[in-house]
Amino acid sequence: MTLPLYGTALRSAGFCSDKARSVVRLRSVDSAAERCMADFALARTPAEVRRAVEVDWQSMFIVSDGSIDLPATFKGRLVTVPPKYDYLADGDVVGFDHASRKFRTLYRRKSAHNSFLVTERCNNYCLMCSQPPKDVDDRWILSEIKESLCLIDPATRALTFTGGETLSDWEDFIAVLKECRDRLPATAIQVLTNGRAFADSRIVDAWKEIGHPNLMTAIPVYASVDHIHDHVVQAKDAFDETILGILKLKDRGQPVEIRVVLHALTAPIIEDTGRWLARNLPFVDHVALMGLENTGFAIANDAVLWMDPVDYGEGLARAVEHLSAAGVNVSIYNLPKCVLPKSVWPHAVQSISDWKNGFVEECDRCDAKNTCSGFFTTGRPRFSRGVRAITSEREESNWLAS
């Protein structure tokens, strides 16, 4: 199932005209938490609306088809959204544009997969980019994120920052990460970046100064051959800048994860890439070998990129062997266990964000479903010919046949 994380409100009222946007935190009508200006009572029924007025809520966020009538005595701020956003709950944070009534779910308190889009700008143009870059002035997003951080539950286990290239406005973004250090010191912070900015010593030194106790940088290296990496990201000399950035980060003691997205340009050489990483970058903190999300540019480039995971399984298994032998922590993301060699199942993790994660009918009778990544529901999903239920009977018959 894909959750709708953005949309247009049916109705709004009471917002000041001298401010373009607001960040809203939703609260249960009878919440005992101390209220702040950003807090809105979350109501779904006429009874909850009446109760919100009784307990003097000055701001209300209603999930309804628009048929709920407000008491004439209510004169505060109001947002009404359609019933498909019924997943919204106490503690969630929403960004709201006053003029257009457009809103985005920025944070869900009960979710383990919260991410902030930092910018849509990027100096790469990856062939399989799931968030195709745009040349726009979207610096307002960082201001919205800073406004959101003080509303997030300090017990949140993890936050991801993604793009675009997150370091497009590196000074402002580093200021946001310092806010995370001060407000969310117990939260694991992951930043997705192409890593090229870290070739600049000023930036990598500023990064070290952030001092968040659990900050991880996730950087893609798509091949051990520079021209293949540069072709995938559509940027000349990107490989050299990326590797230099990784070396500078590790020289300053900063955690780094390397990501390799697997498709027809990278998967056939994944064993070579794994061996090269094991020999040349064994000091990185994690390597993630990732199945392709068939959305964004990947749809347009499907004929160039699609490769059935069954066809690169052996090379993937050998890449995992090389990395593990070098002591590198390695995981496989976004690929269901049934399409992978059994030897790498311990490395396959549930990595797909809950708002875009699903299963097919065959999965209903699979013994491994509860520990499997499942599939992306976004874009135009592609399914391997190897998709099958894993059952004890099937595994036993396969063992006897071998």
Side-chain angles (χ1 to χ4, degrees), residues 212-258:
H212 191 287
N214 199 358
L215 172 63
M216 173 75 80
T217 312
I219 300 174
V221 177
Y222 293 124
S224 57
V225 182
D226 55 1
H227 69 84
I228 296 178
H229 176 94
D230 289 358
H231 175 64
V232 171
V233 305
Q234 296 287 285
K236 183 175 171 46
D237 298 326
F239 178 85
D240 291 343
E241 290 180 350
T242 297
I243 299 302
L244 180 58
I246 292 170
L247 293 174
K248 287 189 174 185
L249 281 168
K250 293 309 301 177
D251 180 61
R252 289 155 177 82
Q254 300 304 295
V256 173
E257 172 184 279
I258 288 178

Side-chain angles (χ1 to χ4, degrees), residues 122-133 164-165 193-194 196 220-222 228-235 238 242 261 263 265 292 295-301 305:
C122 191
N123 55 344
N124 281 354
Y125 208 70
C126 298
L127 295 173
M128 67 292 174
C129 182
S130 60
Q131 183 72 44
E165 172 46 46
T193 167
N194 61 39
R196 294 170 62 186
V221 177
Y222 293 124
I228 296 178
H229 176 94
D230 289 358
H231 175 64
V232 171
V233 305
Q234 296 287 285
T242 297
V261 178
H263 49 67
L265 300 180
L292 178 68
T295 191
F297 282 164
I299 295 176
N301 294 314
L305 297 177

Side-chain angles (χ1 to χ4, degrees), residues 46 88 152 161 168 172 202 232 276 286 319 323 327 338 367 385:
L88 290 168
I152 290 175
F161 292 92
S168 295
D172 291 338
R202 294 174 306 149
V232 171
W276 186 88
H286 184 232
L323 290 162
C338 59
D367 296 341
R385 67 182 187 276

Side-chain angles (χ1 to χ4, degrees), residues 8-279:
T8 302
L10 300 173
R11 180 183 174 191
S12 69
F15 290 90
C16 62
S17 58
D18 60 348
K19 186 180 179 184
R21 298 176 180 85
S22 291
V23 175
V24 170
R25 179 169 59 186
L26 308 181
R27 287 298 193 192
S28 298
V29 172
D30 290 314
S31 172
E34 183 179 353
R35 298 179 192 175
C36 71
M37 279 295 295
D39 287 339
F40 279 56
L42 176 62
R44 294 180 171 83
T45 66
E48 288 180 333
V49 169
R50 289 193 297 271
R51 177 61 179 162
V53 173
E54 288 173 5
V55 296
D56 199 30
W57 278 99
Q58 299 299 306
S59 303
M60 206 176 308
F61 194 100
I62 301 175
V63 180
S64 161
D65 59 7
S67 62
I68 296 178
D69 293 325
L70 283 169
T73 54
F74 181 78
K75 303 297 182 183
R77 294 176 296 172
L78 168 72
V79 178
T80 301
V81 303
K84 67 180 179 179
Y85 300 99
D86 192 52
Y87 66 83
L88 290 168
D90 180 78
D92 292 354
V93 178
V94 174
F96 182 70
D97 185 276
H98 300 174
S100 67
R101 302 200 316 274
K102 291 182 178 179
F103 66 93
R104 296 184 302 140
T105 302
L106 302 176
Y107 164 81
R108 290 177 296 131
R109 187 170 64 88
K110 294 182 179 179
S111 175
H113 303 98
N114 281 296
S115 63
F116 282 103
L117 175 72
V118 173
T119 180
E120 294 188 85
R121 289 169 287 141
C122 191
N123 55 344
N124 281 354
Y125 208 70
C126 298
L127 295 173
M128 67 292 174
C129 182
S130 60
Q131 183 72 44
K134 298 177 183 177
D135 185 13
V136 293
D137 183 359
D138 56 9
R139 287 171 291 182
W140 60 269
I141 296 177
L142 282 171
S143 298
E144 183 178 73
I145 293 172
K146 286 189 73 172
E147 196 173 344
S148 302
L149 291 177
C150 63
L151 305 175
I152 290 175
D153 186 345
T156 298
R157 294 181 60 186
L159 281 179
T160 296
F161 292 92
T162 183
E165 172 46 46
T166 50
L167 286 158
S168 295
D169 299 303
W170 66 271
E171 290 175 302
D172 291 338
F173 180 51
I174 284 177
V176 166
L177 295 178
K178 288 181 177 179
E179 286 281 325
C180 291
R181 174 198 64 199
D182 298 338
R183 295 185 180 275
L184 302 167
T187 302
I189 305 296
Q190 183 180 64
V191 176
L192 309 187
T193 167
N194 61 39
R196 294 170 62 186
F198 293 121
D200 184 334
S201 293
R202 294 174 306 149
I203 298 176
V204 77
D205 287 340
W207 191 267
K208 180 182 178 180
E209 291 174 5
I210 294 169
H212 191 287
N214 199 358
L215 172 63
M216 173 75 80
T217 312
I219 300 174
V221 177
Y222 293 124
S224 57
V225 182
D226 55 1
H227 69 84
I228 296 178
H229 176 94
D230 289 358
H231 175 64
V232 171
V233 305
Q234 296 287 285
K236 183 175 171 46
D237 298 326
F239 178 85
D240 291 343
E241 290 180 350
T242 297
I243 299 302
L244 180 58
I246 292 170
L247 293 174
K248 287 189 174 185
L249 281 168
K250 293 309 301 177
D251 180 61
R252 289 155 177 82
Q254 300 304 295
V256 173
E257 172 184 279
I258 288 178
R259 294 186 160 199
V260 186
V261 178
L262 300 163
H263 49 67
L265 300 180
T266 61
I269 57 170
I270 186 57
E271 180 183 0
D272 292 337
T273 301
R275 183 189 295 111
W276 186 88
L277 292 172
R279 289 179 176 175

Side-chain angles (χ1 to χ4, degrees), residues 327-341:
V328 179
N329 182 24
V330 57
S331 300
I332 297 173
Y333 289 177
N334 309 343
L335 289 169
K337 287 185 175 180
C338 59
V339 306
L340 297 171

